[in-house]
């Protein structure tokens, strides 16, 4: 009798699961990068020693370090509004007429000494408390530009030009109010992401301090990543824009206004420090430097990144160009009225 060896088949049985592939996760990528850095250490050190990279890293750290304290201040105020200020109180304080409320919100910017990073989470929280978006956005633009700290810094940076303080105040306040009024007319609710208007629901029985802590933590984690992204963008653009472009604008007022407006968006300076940068550009007339000071706190790359992360991309691509145009026009008009033109 001849024995026959048979091999098992899968016919009629359960299908055999394929071999499981290892997923490439962030830890594996980090390990590979660390090993590569150790192997090619000399080349990595030589590459990181490039002047452009050193300049870019300095700008990146400066933007983040300057903005982070004010961002933290903003999320603390945001948490306090969510925990301790009922929506009914805000509705009682603001005028029922939205156009009038925009003007009140613009003047309320005098009360919050912070930069533009601080105003974004506060504006979001105001919307969640029932404040009309145009009113909250007017406050967002006014707070970093017309507060006492910024005005005093401008006076110190331009000791021989006291009119610059008045011109900056009027141009920035007009930018906030006019943009708010325009948003009343052309703004659409669907442009603002639903997550921006969704309130954080506290746990049943949670205290107000627990609501404050959870709201502040949520806003800081969400906005911090976009601040880093904006700082990285500002660093790259700072390195890419030659300094000689600015010095070549002496005596060219119209071109200077355009270039300084774009430069304000690119450099992404804190509103408490931008006056000293503008004062150092003494070769330029006052009018382009004023436009630089009006545009910067209203729209720059880090602020656009924060707005896109907070209110959604559809909002940012509409609000940023509108704000830029209004800020340039208001800055020029304020300069012509207060500074006497192009000097």
């Amino acid at each position: 009798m001849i024995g026959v060896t048979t091999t098992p088949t899968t016919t009629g049985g359960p299908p055999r699961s394929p071999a499981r592939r290892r997923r490439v996760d962030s830890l594996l990528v980090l390990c590979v990068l660390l090993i590569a850095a150790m192997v090619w250490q000399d080349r990595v050190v030589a590459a990181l020693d490039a002047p452009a990279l050193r300049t870019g890293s300095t700008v990146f750290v400066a933007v983040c370090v300057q903005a982070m304290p004010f961002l933290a201040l903003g999320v603390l105020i945001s948490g306090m509004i969510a925990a301790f200020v009922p929506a009914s109180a805000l509705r009682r304080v603001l005028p029922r007429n939205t156009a009038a409320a925009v003007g009140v919100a613009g003047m309320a910017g005098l009360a919050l000494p912070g930069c533009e990073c601080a105003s974004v989470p506060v504006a979001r929280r105001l919307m969640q408390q029932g404040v009309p978006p145009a009113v909250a956005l007017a406050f967002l633009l006014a707070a970093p530009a017309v507060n006492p700290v910024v005005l005093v810094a401008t006076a110190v940076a331009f000791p021989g030009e006291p009119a610059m303080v008045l011109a900056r105040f009027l141009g920035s306040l007009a930018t906030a109010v006019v943009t708010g009024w325009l948003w009343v007319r052309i703004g659409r609710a669907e442009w603002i992401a639903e997550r921006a208007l969704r309130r954080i629901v506290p746990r049943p029985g949670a205290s107000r301090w627990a609501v404050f802590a959870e709201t502040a933590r949520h806003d800081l984690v969400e906005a911090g990543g976009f601040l880093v992204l904006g700082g990285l963008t500002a660093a790259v653009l700072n390195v890419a824009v030659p300094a000689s472009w600015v010095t070549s604008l002496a005596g060219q007022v119209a071109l200077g206004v355009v270039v300084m407006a774009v430069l304000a968006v690119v450099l992404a300076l804190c509103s408490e420090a931008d006056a000293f940068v503008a004062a150092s550009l003494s070769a330029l007339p006052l009018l382009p430097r004023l436009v630089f000071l009006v545009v910067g706190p209203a729209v720059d790359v880090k602020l656009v990144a924060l707005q896109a992360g907070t209110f959604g991309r559809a909002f940012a691509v509409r609000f940023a160009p509108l704000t830029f145009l209004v800020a340039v026009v208001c800055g020029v008009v304020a300069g012509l009225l207060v500074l006497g033109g192009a000097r």
Side-chain angles (χ1 to χ4, degrees):
M1 184 175 182
I2 301 175
V4 178
T5 304
T6 59
T7 56
T9 62
T10 58
T11 304
R16 182 178 297 176
S17 59
R20 186 177 180 182
R21 294 183 179 179
R22 178 174 177 81
R23 186 171 61 91
V24 178
D25 55 11
S26 58
L27 180 60
L28 180 60
V29 174
L30 177 61
C31 293
V32 172
L33 291 177
L34 289 176
I35 294 174
M38 292 174 62
V39 173
W40 291 288
Q41 180 178 1
D42 295 338
R43 296 183 180 180
V44 171
V45 171
L48 293 178
D49 196 41
L53 189 58
R54 290 201 303 269
T55 302
S57 61
T58 301
V59 172
F60 170 74
V61 172
V63 169
C64 293
V65 169
Q66 280 183 337
M68 187 55 71
F70 296 104
L71 178 62
L73 173 64
V75 300
L76 291 177
I77 296 175
S78 169
M80 293 180 67
I81 293 174
F84 302 105
V85 181
S88 57
L90 292 173
R91 286 192 291 267
R92 286 196 300 269
V93 171
L94 292 172
R96 293 183 180 273
N97 182 276
T98 305
V102 166
V104 172
M107 293 302 298
L110 288 165
L112 181 60
C115 74
E116 52 271 22
C117 299
S119 63
V120 173
V122 175
R124 174 186 180 179
R125 197 62 56 199
L126 291 174
M127 292 184 190
Q128 292 178 348
Q129 294 291 81
V131 174
V135 179
L137 294 175
F139 177 81
L140 182 151
L141 296 175
V146 302
N147 69 73
V149 176
V150 170
L151 298 179
V152 170
T154 306
V156 173
F158 293 89
E161 298 288 347
M164 280 290 287
V165 180
L166 177 61
R168 181 175 191 177
F169 172 78
L170 293 177
S172 298
L173 181 61
T175 298
V177 174
V178 171
T179 304
W181 285 340
L182 289 175
W183 200 258
V184 173
R185 302 284 297 180
I186 67 175
R188 299 290 183 268
E190 58 269 20
W191 293 346
I192 300 177
E194 183 181 353
R195 66 176 184 275
L197 305 178
R198 188 186 306 122
R199 299 183 62 179
I200 298 176
V201 180
R203 298 186 304 273
S207 65
R208 290 189 174 185
W209 286 108
V211 175
F212 163 77
E214 176 62 22
T215 302
R217 182 201 63 79
H218 177 272
D219 287 351
L220 182 61
V221 170
E222 187 172 88
F226 289 95
L227 172 61
V228 172
L229 179 62
L232 181 61
T233 305
V236 173
L237 293 175
N238 267 268
V239 174
V241 177
S244 58
W245 289 8
V246 179
T247 57
S248 64
L249 297 175
Q252 304 183 48
V253 178
L255 183 59
V257 166
V258 176
V259 172
M260 291 300 289
V262 175
L263 199 63
V265 178
V266 169
L267 293 182
L269 298 174
C270 183
S271 58
E272 275 82 10
D274 58 0
F276 299 96
V277 176
S280 67
L281 303 174
S282 55
L284 292 176
L286 287 180
L287 184 59
R289 288 188 279 172
L290 173 63
V291 172
F292 176 83
L293 297 179
V294 174
V295 172
V299 53
D300 60 39
V301 289
K302 75 174 185 301
L303 186 56
V304 173
L306 283 170
Q307 291 174 355
T310 303
F311 302 111
R313 188 181 304 174
F315 169 85
V317 298
R318 292 171 172 85
F319 186 72
L322 172 67
T323 306
F324 179 81
L325 292 175
V326 173
V328 172
V329 172
C330 291
V332 170
V333 172
L336 292 175
L337 293 177
V338 179
L339 300 179
R343 67 186 183 87

